[in-house]
């Protein structure tokens, strides 16, 4: 024997559930009512207890109407009355049970139909969410549910779905911009190399110096493209999240970054004030090192000759903090929030970097649950604070 399959539609299951709940509660109410009525009606006595036929019962009724019946007649009248009451009791209980069962059956079917209608109205926002999700794609994310009504669970679900579509729309748009910008940035060094080679080959009497100049330009373009590809790889790795975590010290990383940037610091004659106190934290060693290096390199690249850099590390409640500030050109306050976007540069000069320094730092900070606060300085330059949890 195969049991019937449970319906797949939620609306059908809810309707059946409503009908089943009504049937169970109605049956309990019917049993309680039947028991109360049966308990308050006279108890049943055998009808045959009188031992009289119809003629004798008629004579007994006449005798019972006499002013002073004898004791035997009184007893016979009581027995006849009990037999009549028992008959009325049985008829009443049978009628109550029959009509109650009929009413219960009709109302069970009605409750199932009403449950079907009500569940359809309740699930209407869910159907709208399903249809919108089916139509959604990377090219069609602009549609929103904009559900109105009471602030219930379904309204909260619809609002959450709209927020998710908004985030996806922004993510896909950012991804398309990133791919377009990366393609443009990678095309630039290739174009420079092609132009340098074509110019050198177009000269009929090429000298050794001209070939060396062409090779130097090609080498600079290759280095630029290589740095950009490496930065893109780091950005992709940091976007995937932290895969390993270990104990690290921000002060040691800041010291190493300053040593790597020492040639550029000497060339620009920058004054460096370093207060590197122990700052233990946990995270991915390579990603955090790249983040600290990017922050130091950003402070050096976007400085001015004879400028300054202040860097400090230390402990804070729940983790470690790195603060770095630098002089330089004045950065408008409305530009600061966009500096963490890929390929956004403060300076358009070639030595300004590939435009991914703060993007990588922001991505690594998000992967570690850290807080990266970038603020402009009215006198010029930026003030950056990195808080990494212990």
């Amino acid at each position: 024997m195969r049991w019937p399959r449970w319906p797949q539609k939620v609306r059908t299951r809810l309707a059946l559930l409503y009908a089943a709940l009504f049937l169970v509660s109605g049956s309990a109410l019917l049993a309680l009512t039947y028991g109360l009525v049966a308990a308050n009606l006279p108890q049943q006595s055998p009808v045959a207890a009188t031992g009289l036929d119809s003629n004798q019962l008629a004579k007994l009724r006449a005798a019972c109407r006499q002013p002073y019946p004898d004791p035997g007649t009184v007893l016979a009248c009581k027995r006849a009355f009990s037999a009549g009451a028992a008959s009325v009791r049985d008829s009443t209980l049978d009628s109550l049970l029959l009509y109650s069962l009929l009413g219960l059956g009709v109302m069970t079917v009605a409750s199932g139909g009403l449950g079907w209608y009500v569940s359809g109205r309740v699930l209407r926002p869910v159907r709208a969410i399903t249809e919108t999700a089916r139509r959604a794609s990377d090219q069609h994310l602009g549609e929103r549910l904009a559900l109105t009504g009471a602030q219930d669970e379904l309204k909260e679900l619809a609002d959450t779905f709209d927020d998710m579509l908004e985030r996806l729309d922004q993510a896909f748009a950012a991804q398309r911009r990133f791919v377009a910008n990366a393609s443009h940035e990678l095309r630039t060094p290739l174009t420079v190399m092609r132009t340098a080679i074509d110019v050198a080959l177009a000269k009929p009497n090429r000298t050794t110096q001209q070939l060396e100049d062409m090779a130097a330009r090609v080498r600079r373009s290759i280095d630029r493209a290589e740095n950009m590809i490496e930065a893109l790889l780091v950005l992709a790795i940091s976007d995937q999240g932290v895969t390993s975590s270990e104990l690290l010290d921000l002060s040691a990383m800041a010291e190493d970054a300053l040593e790597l940037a020492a040639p550029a610091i000497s060339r620009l004659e920058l004054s460096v004030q370093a207060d590197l106190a122990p700052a233990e934290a946990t995270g991915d060693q390579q990603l955090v090192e790249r983040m600290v290096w990017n922050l130091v390199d950003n402070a050096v690249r976007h400085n001015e000759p004879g400028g300054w850099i202040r860097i400090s590390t230390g402990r804070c409640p729940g983790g470690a903090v790195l603060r770095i500030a630098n002089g330089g050109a004045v950065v408008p306050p409305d530009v600061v929030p966009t500096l963490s976007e890929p390929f956004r540069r403060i300076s358009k000069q070639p030595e300004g970097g590939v435009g991914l320094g703060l993007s990588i730092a922001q991505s690594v900070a998000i992967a570690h649950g850290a807080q990266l606060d970038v603020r402009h300085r009215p006198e010029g330059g930026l003030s950056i604070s990195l808080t990494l949890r212990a």
Side-chain angles (χ1 to χ4, degrees):
M1 178 180 178
R2 296 183 60 184
W3 292 95
R5 296 181 59 187
W6 187 244
Q8 299 295 325
K9 296 290 186 180
V10 176
R11 184 178 184 182
T12 305
R13 293 203 295 262
L14 288 176
L16 293 177
L17 181 61
Y18 295 153
L21 291 175
F22 182 84
L23 179 62
V24 172
S25 59
S27 299
L29 181 61
L30 173 60
L32 179 62
T33 303
Y34 187 88
L36 290 175
V37 173
N40 285 277
L41 288 177
Q43 296 295 324
Q44 182 178 2
S45 298
V47 178
T50 58
L52 303 176
D53 55 18
S54 58
N55 293 328
Q56 292 173 336
L57 285 175
K59 293 180 180 179
L60 182 60
R61 293 192 191 95
C64 290
R65 295 191 183 95
Q66 297 297 326
Y68 302 103
D70 57 84
T73 302
V74 172
L75 181 61
C77 291
K78 289 183 178 180
R79 290 180 176 179
F81 178 77
S82 298
S87 177
V88 172
R89 182 179 186 276
D90 292 341
S91 177
T92 301
L93 292 178
D94 291 342
S95 298
L96 175 63
L97 183 62
L98 175 63
Y99 289 111
S100 297
L101 290 176
L102 289 176
L104 180 62
V106 172
M107 293 307 298
T108 300
V109 175
S111 65
L114 185 61
W116 172 270
Y117 172 76
V118 172
S119 60
R121 292 185 60 86
V122 172
L123 295 175
R124 187 178 301 171
V126 179
R127 290 196 298 270
I129 294 175
T130 303
E131 294 172 358
T132 304
R134 287 174 178 172
R135 293 193 298 268
S137 65
D138 58 345
Q139 302 296 331
H140 182 73
L141 291 173
E143 187 174 354
R144 301 292 182 268
L145 293 172
L147 188 66
T148 59
Q151 193 67 31
D152 53 9
E153 289 82 357
L154 292 176
K155 178 67 164 54
E156 183 178 358
L157 175 62
D159 293 342
T160 303
F161 187 77
D162 286 343
D163 294 339
M164 182 191 68
L165 288 178
E166 181 68 25
R167 291 193 299 270
L168 287 175
D169 195 9
Q170 295 177 358
F172 276 107
Q175 185 183 36
R176 287 191 289 267
R177 289 195 304 269
F178 177 80
V179 172
N181 292 333
S183 301
H184 174 73
E185 295 289 338
L186 288 173
R187 189 184 297 116
T188 300
L190 295 177
T191 303
V192 173
M193 286 187 286
R194 181 187 297 274
T195 303
I197 295 173
D198 291 342
V199 169
L201 293 178
K203 295 179 179 180
N205 299 318
R206 294 180 293 273
T207 63
T208 303
Q209 183 63 38
Q210 291 172 343
L211 293 177
E212 290 179 353
D213 293 340
M214 181 268 293
R217 287 195 295 270
V218 171
R219 178 59 184 268
R220 287 195 299 268
S221 299
I222 291 175
D223 291 341
R224 181 178 176 82
E226 187 177 306
N227 292 334
M228 185 176 301
I229 293 174
E230 181 185 358
L232 290 173
L233 289 175
V234 174
L235 184 61
I237 293 173
S238 62
D239 286 340
Q240 294 177 0
V242 178
T243 57
S244 63
S245 183
E246 55 186 306
L247 185 64
L248 47 87
D249 191 349
L250 291 180
S251 62
M253 293 182 177
E255 185 177 359
D256 294 340
L258 288 174
E259 291 180 359
L260 290 175
I265 293 175
S266 299
R267 186 179 69 254
L268 294 175
E269 298 180 352
L270 303 177
S271 63
V272 179
Q273 299 178 11
D275 182 13
L276 304 179
E280 294 84 3
T282 56
D284 189 291
Q285 181 81 19
Q286 295 181 351
L287 290 180
V288 177
E289 282 182 350
R290 182 56 186 263
M291 175 173 57
V292 174
W293 157 249
N294 282 358
L295 295 178
V296 174
D297 183 64
N298 182 80
V300 175
R301 285 181 181 273
H302 302 290
N303 217 310
E304 57 187 0
W308 56 271
I309 296 176
R310 288 197 300 266
I311 182 171
S312 64
T313 58
R315 297 185 180 92
C316 67
V321 60
L322 166 68
R323 297 183 179 91
I324 182 168
N326 64 277
V330 176
V331 181
D334 56 337
V335 176
V336 173
T338 66
L339 293 179
S340 60
E341 297 180 6
F343 306 108
R344 286 299 181 98
R345 299 182 180 91
I346 300 177
S347 174
K348 299 299 182 181
Q349 299 176 359
E351 63 272 11
V354 297
L356 292 174
L358 287 181
S359 300
I360 294 176
Q362 181 69 32
S363 178
V364 175
I366 293 175
H368 285 80
Q371 182 179 0
L372 184 65
D373 185 19
V374 181
R375 299 183 181 182
H376 84 289
R377 300 183 70 258
E379 302 85 0
L382 294 175
S383 175
I384 300 177
S385 174
L386 170 66
T387 304
L388 191 64
R389 65 173 180 233

